[in-house]
């Protein structure tokens, strides 16, 4: 599979890129201008703006599938109340560029990271996540992801937006469960999110559009 990965330098993207390459796929890693990132051997690298329609079109052309690990950036990533350094609609606007590029190039499959509690899963969030969404920049990210999901839903493409629960570091366990809630204890390693995305992209089609996923 020829796979282009947007957000390759992010916390999930950095895991997905070598994982896909090690699985034998032809990977193109896309990072934003000025990002400090060196791809693994054999992985093509493109630098540019995901909001630049012509750049995105060039990155998507000739691919079999697209993965997006794009997300909003904060000045201090570990602080949910830190100011955003990216536009609050960055992810949804980049999704619109990706959709247009895929439609023009005839590329049909895209998997993009969302989050548990986004969209119609909001009612199933635990109290702590409700607090973060209500009081911090997590709320801006969730609103942007909800619009992103609607962009893909209206695209006519074969799309999926996995909604991981609380993200953690550490090695992949290979144990991922699809659940219908977001309890306080739920968490999943970023490596398992990457593994789930790759496994879904390797299938002929997506069975679920917005599965909530957690560590099993």
């Amino acid at each position: 599979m020829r796979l282009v990965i947007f957000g390759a330098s992010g916390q999930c993207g950095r895991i997905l890129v070598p994982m896909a390459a090690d699985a034998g796929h032809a990977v193109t890693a896309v990072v934003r201008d000025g990002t400090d990132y060196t791809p693994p051997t054999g992985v093509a690298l493109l630098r540019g703006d995901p909001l630049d329609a012509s750049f995105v079109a060039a990155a998507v052309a000739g691919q079999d599938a697209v993965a997006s690990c794009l997300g909003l950036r904060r000045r201090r990533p570990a602080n949910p109340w830190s100011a955003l350094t990216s536009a609050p609609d960055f992810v949804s606007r980049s999704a619109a560029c990706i959709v247009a590029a895929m439609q023009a190039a005839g590329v049909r499959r895209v998997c993009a990271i969302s989050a548990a509690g986004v969209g119609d899963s909001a009612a199933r969030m635990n109290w702590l996540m409700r607090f973060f969404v209500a009081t911090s920049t997590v709320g801006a990210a969730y609103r942007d992801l909800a619009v992103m999901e609607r962009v893909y839903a209206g695209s006519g493409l074969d799309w999926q937006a996995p909604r991981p629960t609380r993200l953690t570091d550490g090695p992949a366990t290979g144990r991922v469960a699809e659940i219908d809630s977001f309890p306080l204890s739920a968490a999943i390693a970023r490596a398992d999110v990457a593994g789930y995305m790759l496994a879904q992209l390797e299938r002929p089609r997506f069975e679920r559009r917005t599965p909530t996923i957690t560590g099993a």
Side-chain angles (χ1 to χ4, degrees):
M1 172 172 58
R2 293 166 296 181
L3 176 65
V4 59
I5 301 174
F6 289 86
S9 64
Q11 291 177 297
C12 287
R14 284 182 183 268
I15 302 170
L16 179 58
V17 168
M19 186 180 289
D22 289 346
H25 302 295
V27 178
T28 299
V30 180
V31 300
R32 286 177 251 186
D33 290 322
T35 301
D36 181 15
Y37 178 75
T38 301
T41 301
V43 171
L45 176 64
L46 293 177
R47 295 182 181 274
D49 183 357
L51 301 181
D52 180 339
S54 60
F55 168 75
V56 175
V60 168
Q63 306 291 339
D64 297 314
V66 177
S68 175
C69 301
L70 293 168
L72 297 186
R73 289 178 172 174
R74 290 190 290 263
R75 184 168 289 114
R76 293 185 294 277
N79 182 353
W81 288 274
S82 181
L84 294 175
T85 60
S86 53
D89 59 353
F90 169 78
V91 177
S92 54
R93 287 171 59 202
S94 63
C97 289
I98 290 170
V99 165
M102 291 178 67
Q103 291 171 336
V107 181
R108 300 297 304 164
R109 309 196 67 229
V110 56
C111 186
I113 295 176
S114 186
V118 167
D120 60 5
S121 67
R124 300 187 289 276
M125 270 194 295
N126 62 71
W127 67 268
L128 183 59
M129 283 306 304
R130 290 178 186 275
F131 171 74
F132 283 132
V133 168
T135 64
S136 73
T137 56
V138 172
Y142 269 47
R143 289 188 292 273
D144 194 23
L145 289 171
V147 178
M148 177 202 77
E149 289 185 3
R150 293 197 293 271
V151 169
Y152 287 122
S155 69
L157 301 172
D158 184 21
W159 67 280
Q160 186 181 73
R163 295 167 169 172
T165 58
R166 180 173 56 86
L167 294 170
T168 64
D169 295 320
T173 68
R175 298 186 298 274
V176 178
E178 296 181 0
I179 60 175
D180 294 323
S181 61
F182 187 180
L184 189 61
S185 60
I188 184 170
R190 291 178 174 87
D192 281 326
V193 175
Y196 179 89
M197 293 177 70
L198 183 58
Q200 292 292 305
L201 285 162
E202 289 173 335
R203 295 181 176 183
R205 55 183 292 274
F206 298 120
E207 293 184 1
R208 297 186 66 185
R209 298 300 184 198
T210 55
T212 296
I213 59 174
T214 195

